[in-house]
Amino acid sequence: MGGWSLNTLLVILNIILFLLIISGLYLMQKKHISFSKRVFTALGIGIVFGFALQFAYASNHNLLLTSIDWFNIVGSGYVKLLQMIVIPLVFISILITFTKLKLSNNTGKIAALIISILVGTTAIAASIGIAAALGFDLKAVQIEQGNAEISRAKAIEEKFNEIKDQTYPQKILELIPENPFLDFTGARPTSTIAVVIFATIIGIAYLGVKRKNPEQADLFAKIVESFYAVVMRMVTLILRLTPYGVFAIMTKAVATTDIDSVLKLGKFVIASYVALLVMFIIHLILLAISGLNPLTYVKKAMPALSFAFTSRSSAGTLPLNIQTQTQQLGVSEGIANLAGSFGLSIGQNGCAGIYPAMLAVMIAPTVGIDPLNPTFILTLIVTVAISSFGVAGVGGGATFAAILVLSTMNLPIGLAGLLISVEPLIDMGRTAVNVSGSMTAGLLTSRITNELDVDVYHNSKPDVSYQS
């Protein structure tokens, strides 16, 4: 066999099967099958292929991980490409709203409205999380802490030591860009918001120059429009890869899921998904109240939500989020960019709303606090809403939010890692709800300000295929 082991041959076989499925998805694109159908097909095949790998190599975990490591070139590579484009997209998209006056003179009002909706829905999410934890009688003492949980507790303690001395005013100051070039690297949890603020300041400066020196302003506007065209072309090129990325990510997620842990902590997983589903229904109710058909929203938003679910990255989903809002849902570019960008770090309904609230209710009895106490519940809801500022839109954001809430409520922060063994599974649903929350904020803001293109929203034309 030329020195090749059986394990090596099996890894090669797995890679060949993986590439054959990728080829099948590519053929679907060539036949101009709609983008959403290709995404859902990739999602379904990824689930089946992942389970097949897990059962086939249940006794050979190293072989499975080696195969997944190769698949990761497609999955993680795709997420990295999306994250690469996030900051340039946010910056140039905000800037062009000024050069094209897509936000007219209502920029401040629109930004305040978006933030209010994000924070308000996060408060609702916290209430739902509290109700879920109480309804399912979830308690921290019910979870057996193994090595993974203990290691996670130590990591959380270290993280807490980095932020414990910050007051709320100091946390607000963290949103303001001190070094925009540092924020362009995404180095801070609040980098995205900082870039939004920086772009807004440049936009306001541009409007001032336009009044006093129109020729220079026109030259600047043309440069911005050229950059915008190139960045949006980059977004299109990357989004074409979505079905392949979804397939690879879903395969990894399913193949590496610890089924024993899921079964052991089944009640916590079920309670989390019930709360997330209820929050998603709240989004649909809000849209219905505003006069928009919620089923239309579900149909058009599902590809973006599916990718958020598989990737577990709100930031990585941003390009698809904005494209869906503008091209499918009729949200103006300015509002879509603000809602999508703010939604990365403010008012994440799943990670910053439901999760910290559920954990606080679970942990409260360990220090003698009655979780049914009205004062405790009201304080928790307000704390969750305020703490939802500055949560990073990447994996781990929920833990960061939980640390902030638990420390403010004087609850043991080390227990924030209790659900580490099922964290990836729960985080998939949380991320999808985060993205849905930012889309809902964009839609509601557009509706309230009469900037929503209702014809586009209700149009049943085929979705964007990213073919050309």
Side-chain angles (χ1 to χ4, degrees):
M1 300 296 290
W4 284 16
S5 67
L6 177 61
N7 278 3
T8 301
L9 291 174
L10 287 173
V11 169
I12 292 173
L13 175 62
N14 292 336
I15 293 173
I16 291 172
L17 288 173
F18 180 82
L19 292 176
L20 286 173
I21 295 172
I22 291 287
S23 299
L25 293 171
Y26 179 72
L27 287 176
M28 291 179 69
Q29 179 178 331
K30 282 296 182 182
K31 292 181 179 179
H32 300 284
I33 293 174
S34 72
F35 181 71
S36 59
K37 287 181 180 177
R38 285 186 283 127
V39 169
F40 286 124
T41 299
L43 185 67
I45 295 175
I47 292 172
V48 173
F49 190 48
F51 273 123
L53 289 173
Q54 180 165 140
F55 287 116
Y57 303 112
S59 60
N60 195 339
H61 197 59
N62 288 334
L63 190 153
L64 175 62
L65 292 180
T66 301
S67 299
I68 293 297
D69 205 28
W70 283 99
F71 302 165
N72 234 16
I73 295 175
V74 176
S76 294
Y78 174 61
V79 174
K80 283 179 178 291
L81 288 174
L82 282 169
Q83 292 173 335
M84 171 193 74
I85 201 67
V86 165
I87 295 296
L89 175 63
V90 168
F91 177 73
I92 201 69
S93 297
I94 296 298
L95 202 50
I96 203 168
T97 60
F98 286 90
T99 60
K100 288 190 174 182
L101 296 177
K102 291 182 179 178
L103 288 181
S104 61
N105 296 317
N106 297 323
T107 307
K109 174 185 175 182
I110 287 172
L113 192 53
I114 290 171
I115 292 173
S116 297
I117 292 171
L118 288 170
V119 175
T121 52
T122 299
I124 295 172
S127 304
I128 293 170
I130 293 169
L134 293 173
F136 281 84
D137 193 28
L138 302 183
K139 296 178 181 177
V141 294
Q142 298 169 343
I143 301 176
E144 181 181 346
Q145 294 193 57
N147 292 331
E149 286 74 19
I150 293 172
S151 298
R152 183 64 165 173
K154 290 181 180 178
I156 288 171
E157 292 281 0
E158 293 174 1
K159 183 70 175 177
F160 174 67
N161 289 332
E162 297 176 9
I163 63 172
K164 66 179 180 179
D165 295 328
Q166 280 192 332
T167 63
Y168 277 112
Q170 289 172 333
K171 290 171 186 174
I172 292 173
L173 282 175
E174 284 291 308
L175 302 176
I176 301 174
E178 178 182 5
N179 182 349
F181 297 102
L182 175 67
D183 288 317
F184 270 107
T185 68
R188 303 186 301 142
T190 56
S191 284
T192 306
I193 296 300
V195 169
V196 170
I197 294 172
F198 180 59
T200 301
I201 292 172
I202 293 178
I204 293 171
Y206 159 80
L207 294 178
V209 172
K210 187 177 181 180
R211 286 193 297 269
K212 297 181 179 180
N213 197 328
E215 290 184 3
Q216 290 185 356
D218 289 342
L219 176 61
F220 179 79
K222 289 178 181 178
I223 293 173
V224 170
E225 287 181 29
S226 296
F227 273 107
Y228 181 77
V230 172
V231 169
M232 293 310 296
R233 184 60 182 172
M234 289 173 63
V235 169
T236 299
L237 291 173
I238 294 170
L239 289 182
R240 285 183 188 175
L241 304 174
T242 300
Y244 316 116
V246 166
F247 164 62
I249 294 167
M250 202 68 215
T251 296
K252 176 185 177 181
V254 175
T256 57
T257 295
D258 186 346
I259 295 179
D260 290 336
S261 295
V262 173
L263 294 175
K264 188 184 299 183
L265 296 172
K267 185 168 75 167
F268 298 91
V269 175
I270 292 171
S272 296
Y273 270 91
V274 167
L276 292 168
L277 179 60
V278 171
M279 191 62 222
F280 182 64
I281 293 172
I282 294 293
H283 292 163
L284 300 183
I285 292 173
L286 291 173
L287 293 176
I289 292 173
S290 69
L292 299 174
N293 187 333
L295 296 180
T296 300
Y297 169 76
V298 172
K299 178 182 177 182
K300 293 188 173 184
M302 199 50 69
L305 298 181
S306 297
F307 176 72
F309 183 84
T310 52
S311 69
R312 297 170 52 204
S313 172
S314 298
T317 311
L318 180 63
L320 195 53
N321 178 343
I322 292 174
Q323 289 275 44
T324 301
Q325 286 193 62
T326 55
Q327 297 186 20
Q328 295 294 307
L329 300 174
V331 178
S332 67
E333 287 188 22
I335 293 176
N337 284 303
L338 283 177
S341 301
F342 283 150
L344 295 186
S345 299
I346 296 175
Q348 294 190 344
N349 292 176
C351 290
I354 290 174
Y355 185 67
M358 288 183 70
L359 273 183
V361 171
M362 290 167 57
I363 294 170
T366 65
V367 291
I369 296 176
D370 180 9
L372 290 172
N373 186 302
T375 302
F376 170 80
I377 291 174
L378 289 174
T379 304
L380 178 57
I381 292 172
V382 172
T383 300
V384 167
I386 295 174
S387 299
S388 68
F389 283 81
V391 176
V394 294
T399 300
F400 180 76
I403 293 173
L404 293 176
V405 171
L406 294 178
S407 62
T408 303
M409 299 291 293
N410 294 318
L411 296 172
I413 62 161
L415 296 178
L418 280 174
L419 300 176
I420 181 63
S421 56
V422 291
E423 181 82 8
L425 180 60
I426 297 174
D427 198 39
M428 295 166 83
R430 290 193 308 232
T431 307
V433 170
N434 291 344
V435 173
S436 178
S438 72
M439 286 186 178
T440 300
L443 276 166
L444 293 178
T445 300
S446 290
R447 190 66 165 167
I448 293 169
T449 57
N450 295 317
E451 293 196 31
L452 181 69
D453 190 331
V454 180
D455 290 336
V456 172
Y457 183 89
H458 292 295
N459 194 339
S460 59
K461 66 179 180 180
D463 60 4
V464 180
S465 60
Y466 304 106
Q467 301 282 0
S468 59

